[in-house]
Structure formats: C-alpha cells, structure tokens
Amino acid sequence: QVQLVESGGGLVQAGGSLRLSCAASGRSASTYAMGWFRQAPGKEREFVAAIAWSGSPTYNQDSVKGRFTISRDNAKNTVYLQMNSLKPEDTAVYYCAASGGRYYRPDEYNYWGQGTQVTVSS
C-alpha cells in the first residue's frame, strides 16, 4: 500500500509557474514509478508526466514538453512537477499516482492521491 498526498496547487496567471509536490508513504514507496495526471471539467483524465523509480527515464505528454518537468527525491519519498509557462488550458485537478509496473503505462497506476487544483487565468 502506498499513500499519496499532493500539494502546491493554486491560482496563477498565464505565463506563471507552479511546483506540485507529492509525498509518498508506505512500504517501499521509493521503488514505485510515479506519474502525474490531470482532469479538467468535462474532460477525460490525461496522463501528463511520469518518472521511473530510479529517476530516469521520464515521460512527458506532448502538450507539456518544454514546460513541465517531473523529478523525484527518493530520500524524501517525494515527486515533483515543475510547471512553467502555464496556459489557461493547463487548468485542471492534478493527481499524483504510483505504479508498481511500467512508468509509461497509465493503466498500470493503481495508487492515487486526492488531487490538487491548478487554475491558470488568462
């Protein structure tokens, strides 16, 4: 079992930055692949970014490449999503998730946080 708690969401103007954090606890939390998903109102959940348990390799959805960076600190059992050059279309609830399988397979994530709201104003 892995428990996940996200933080760092908020309201930001377009072009601004936010850093999301996800603290993991539980047995062998640092050995899980970690990912960030998001869901905007009326839309399906999207697989945004992911990172293997060792910190490399990583995955980024095309729409966030060059703007978002996922990283992790296994000593702190924390994964981060640095979001720069934010756009109104990035507005969503962002969820942290953990996978005991392949980091690039969104269907293999089976532990989820409660989500944190990110709102980007134009």
Side-chain angles (χ1 to χ4, degrees), residues 89-106:
E89 51 263 44
D90 294 319
T91 295
V93 177
Y94 283 71
Y95 297 92
C96 174
S99 167
R102 293 161 287 188
Y103 74 98
Y104 53 86
R105 287 291 299 266

Side-chain angles (χ1 to χ4, degrees), residues 17-69:
S17 298
L18 282 175
R19 189 177 80 156
L20 305 183
S21 299
C22 175
S25 60
R27 189 174 182 178
S28 302
S30 64
T31 66
Y32 283 74
M34 299 294 292
W36 288 97
F37 295 73
R38 67 186 181 187
Q39 188 165 21
K43 295 188 177 181
E44 293 188 355
R45 187 171 61 196
E46 294 183 286
F47 185 38
V48 177
I51 188 166
W53 72 269
S54 62
S56 178
T58 62
Y59 160 84
N60 284 287
Q61 184 195 86
D62 285 347
S63 68
V64 307
K65 283 180 180 177
R67 300 189 299 121
F68 291 11
T69 302

